[in-house]
Amino acid sequence: MSALYETSARAVGGREGHVETDDGLLKLDLALPKALGGKGDGANPEQLFAAGYAACFENAVRHVARQQKLGLTDAAVTATVQLHPRDGGGFALGVALAVEVEGLDEAQGIKLVETAHQVCPYSNAVRGNIDVQLTTTVR
C-alpha cells in the first residue's frame, strides 16, 4: 500500500530536549511536566499526542459526516491523555476523547462518533494497545 502522506520529526534530549519536523514547521523545546518532577516550562510528548489525536479525530468526524451526508454544522474534540505506570514496569497511556457535535440528534451524534473511531488513523493505530474512552455531547 502506498502512503498518502509522510512526515518525520527528530527528537534530541528526550523529554527535556527538542523536537523538530523535517520541514521545520514544528519546533518545540520539551520539558518534563511538573507532575513528574520537572519544571513544566515546555511541551511534553503526551501533550503532542493529545493535540494530534484531537485534530485527527475531529477531522474523521467531519469526514464521516460528509460521506454520510449528515447535517453536522460544527464539531470539536478534546483529547485527554494520561500516563499510567504498568504493573510489570514501564508505562502505558490512556485516552479520553470528548466529542462535541452540532446539528444532529443524539442517536446520530453517537453513531457518527463511533464510526469516526473506526476511520481515524490514530484510533486504528492504538486499538488494542491504549484504552480509549469516547463521550459524545450533542449541542
Side-chain angles (χ1 to χ4, degrees):
M1 179 183 331
S2 62
L4 297 173
Y5 174 70
E6 179 178 293
T7 189
S8 63
R10 183 170 187 256
V12 177
R15 287 182 164 273
E16 296 184 286
H18 182 82
V19 66
E20 189 170 325
T21 56
D22 58 348
D23 59 9
L25 292 175
L26 179 67
K27 299 176 184 182
L28 293 172
D29 290 325
L30 302 175
L32 198 61
K34 287 183 181 181
L36 296 178
K39 294 180 183 177
D41 58 353
N44 64 64
E46 290 74 29
Q47 290 172 319
L48 298 173
F49 186 74
Y53 203 165
C56 190
F57 197 89
E58 196 262 353
N59 194 74
V61 167
R62 291 180 185 276
H63 172 77
V64 170
R66 277 191 305 273
Q67 279 191 324
Q68 295 183 358
K69 295 178 175 43
L70 298 175
L72 181 71
T73 57
D74 205 2
V77 175
T78 301
T80 302
V81 174
Q82 297 176 330
L83 182 65
H84 299 278
R86 291 181 53 179
D87 289 339
F91 302 92
L93 295 176
V95 175
L97 298 175
V99 185
E100 303 166 49
V101 296
E102 286 184 16
L104 307 175
D105 65 35
E106 187 172 349
Q108 286 177 313
I110 291 169
K111 177 89 166 125
L112 172 61
V113 169
E114 289 171 352
T115 304
H117 191 44
Q118 300 306 310
V119 170
C120 175
Y122 274 65
S123 292
N124 287 328
V126 305
R127 189 169 286 111
N129 297 308
I130 296 176
D131 182 35
V132 178
Q133 301 296 317
L134 301 173
T135 57
T136 305
T137 302
V138 177
R139 297 185 272 157

